[in-house]
């Protein structure tokens, strides 16, 4: 007896569903940019696209906040996110047109970054560059397996970070100054602390007023804040020049894991560590004056803590995945170490956050 047409169609759908469910699920989309590790042009394009999105967000939200800004209401009471930081840097309190100019500059920069991202995506030779006497095409895992190339890239990043810190120093001492919560005014910082004993003493908790467990976050004057940025700038620039010109030492080459996941894990570790350190600074009224940022810091601290946990969790995941790919971890050891790492991250983050709140 022949089956009806609807019955045949239903049987075909059931058979297709059975085949689809029996096939392994593809979760590669969860890897994010990690799936572009061996496609350098696309990875660099995505890197620039992310930077462009950040720039676009900063510019567009600055314009949004300017449109809602009320001059007669204290800035700390308006629920703003970006304008208080600009005001802390000495911009816009007397002339809000400066805020608009900064927003437009960010929007224009986002377009440039987007264009650069598209250029590298569609230009197959865009990642060819010279390192020493060799021309290196950073593709097909060549980027991650070449120590000289990685040292060169690290050096360039450090130099840019150093110049960024130096720009803050110049803003404070030459170009308009920054807001001083002690005096309640924007002025030039003309007595920058350069004494390394004072600056590096903060790393061990030694402040001008004795030992303080808050360490760097215990700084209570702009002279030390600007001086610290000056030292950071010098170290980053000198370290960048060193890594640009010199290949890693032999002992480091032997111990380093040349895998894209491991290198990504180091970046995530740095960002996560900065997020957790920033929890302490959130409660510093020299860096975050109450009259500009308000006195409710708990939400910001919790957010920074959560971001730190997420980034450090990504560090653990990608680092162990890279070790697994290199044959240093078995599947069982990989998952055991992952769980142990995440548990330790939660304990550390909770301890840091609890100490900050107390």
């Amino acid at each position: 007896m022949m089956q009806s047409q609807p019955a045949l169609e239903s049987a075909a759908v059931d058979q297709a569903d059975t085949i689809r469910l029996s096939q392994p699920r593809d979760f590669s989309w969860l890897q994010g940019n990690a799936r572009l590790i061996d496609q350098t042009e696309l990875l660099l394009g995505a890197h620039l696209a992310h930077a462009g999105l950040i720039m676009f967000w900063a510019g567009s939200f600055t314009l949004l906040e300017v449109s809602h800004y009320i001059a007669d209401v204290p800035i700390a009471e308006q629920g703003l996110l970006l304008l208080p930081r600009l005001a802390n840097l000495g911009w816009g309190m007397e002339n809000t047109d400066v805020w608009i100019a900064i927003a437009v500059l960010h929007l224009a920069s986002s377009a440039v970054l987007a264009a650069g991202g598209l250029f590298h995506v569609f230009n197959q030779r865009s990642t060819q560059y010279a390192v020493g006497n060799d021309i290196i095409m950073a593709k097909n895992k060549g980027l991650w397996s070449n120590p000289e190339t990685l040292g060169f890239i690290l050096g360039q990043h450090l130099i840019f970070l150093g110049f960024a810190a130096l720009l803050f120093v110049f803003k404070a001492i030459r170009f308009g100054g920054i807001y001083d919560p002690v005096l309640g005014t924007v002025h030039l910082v003309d007595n920058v602390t350069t004494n390394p004993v004072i600056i590096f003493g903060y790393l061990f908790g030694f402040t001008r007023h004795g030992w303080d467990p808050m360490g760097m976050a215990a700084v209570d004057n702009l002279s030390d804040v600007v001086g610290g940025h000056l030292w950071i700038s010098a170290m980053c620039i000198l370290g960048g020049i060193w890594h640009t010109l010199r290949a890693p030492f032999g002992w480091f080459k032997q111990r380093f894991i040349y895998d894209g996941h491991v290198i990504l894990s180091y970046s995530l570790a740095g960002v996560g560590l900065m997020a957790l350190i920033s929890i302490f600074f959130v409660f510093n009224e020299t860096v975050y004056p109450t009259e500009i940022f308000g006195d409710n810091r708990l939400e910001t601290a919790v957010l920074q803590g959560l971001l730190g946990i997420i980034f450090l969790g990504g560090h653990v995941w990608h680092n162990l995945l890279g070790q697994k790919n290199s044959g240093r971890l078995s599947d069982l050891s990989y998952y055991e170490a992952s769980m142990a790492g995440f548990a330790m991250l939660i304990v550390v983050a909770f301890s840091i956050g609890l100490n900050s709140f107390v």
Side-chain angles (χ1 to χ4, degrees), residues 193-246:
T193 303
T194 57
N195 187 339
V197 176
I198 296 177
I199 296 300
F200 292 100
Y202 281 103
L203 294 175
F204 306 97
F206 296 105
T207 71
R208 292 178 179 269
H209 310 291
W211 188 81
D212 193 313
M214 295 292 284
M216 292 183 294
V219 62
D220 61 355
N221 62 90
L222 294 182
S223 298
D224 291 354
V225 171
V226 178
H229 281 79
L230 182 60
W231 273 100
I232 289 173
S233 172
M235 290 188 296
C236 285
I237 292 175
L238 292 176
I241 294 174
W242 169 270
H243 285 289
T244 299
L245 300 178
R246 295 292 301 269

Side-chain angles (χ1 to χ4, degrees), residues 46-70:
H47 196 56
L48 290 169
H50 284 172
L53 284 174
I54 295 171
M55 281 285 189
F56 184 81
W57 173 86
S60 59
F61 267 70
T62 299
L63 290 178
L64 179 64
E65 292 188 0
V66 169
S67 67
H68 288 80
Y69 176 71
I70 304 174

Side-chain angles (χ1 to χ4, degrees), residues 29 55 89 112 121 139 168 193 196 261 263 293 297 304-305 308:
W29 61 273
M55 281 285 189
L89 290 172
V112 173
V121 167
K139 61 187 301 185
F168 171 77
T193 303
H261 285 284
I263 295 170
F293 295 93
R297 314 295 175 88
Q304 293 296 97

Side-chain angles (χ1 to χ4, degrees), residues 78-90:
Q78 299 189 43
L80 303 174
L81 179 63
L82 301 178
L83 296 188
R85 175 52 68 191
L86 295 179
N88 194 27
L89 290 172

Side-chain angles (χ1 to χ4, degrees), residues 217-295:
V219 62
D220 61 355
N221 62 90
L222 294 182
S223 298
D224 291 354
V225 171
V226 178
H229 281 79
L230 182 60
W231 273 100
I232 289 173
S233 172
M235 290 188 296
C236 285
I237 292 175
L238 292 176
I241 294 174
W242 169 270
H243 285 289
T244 299
L245 300 178
R246 295 292 301 269
F249 293 116
W251 61 267
F252 181 83
K253 291 181 181 180
Q254 296 175 0
R255 291 166 175 80
F256 189 81
I257 301 176
Y258 294 97
D259 182 88
H261 285 284
V262 175
I263 295 170
L264 173 60
S265 76
Y266 296 149
S267 298
L268 291 171
V271 177
L273 180 61
M274 293 301 104
L276 294 183
I277 291 176
S278 70
I279 294 176
F280 296 95
F281 279 95
V282 165
F283 298 96
N284 185 304
E285 296 185 359
T286 300
V287 181
Y288 291 92
T290 302
E291 57 269 33
I292 293 179
F293 295 93
D295 55 4

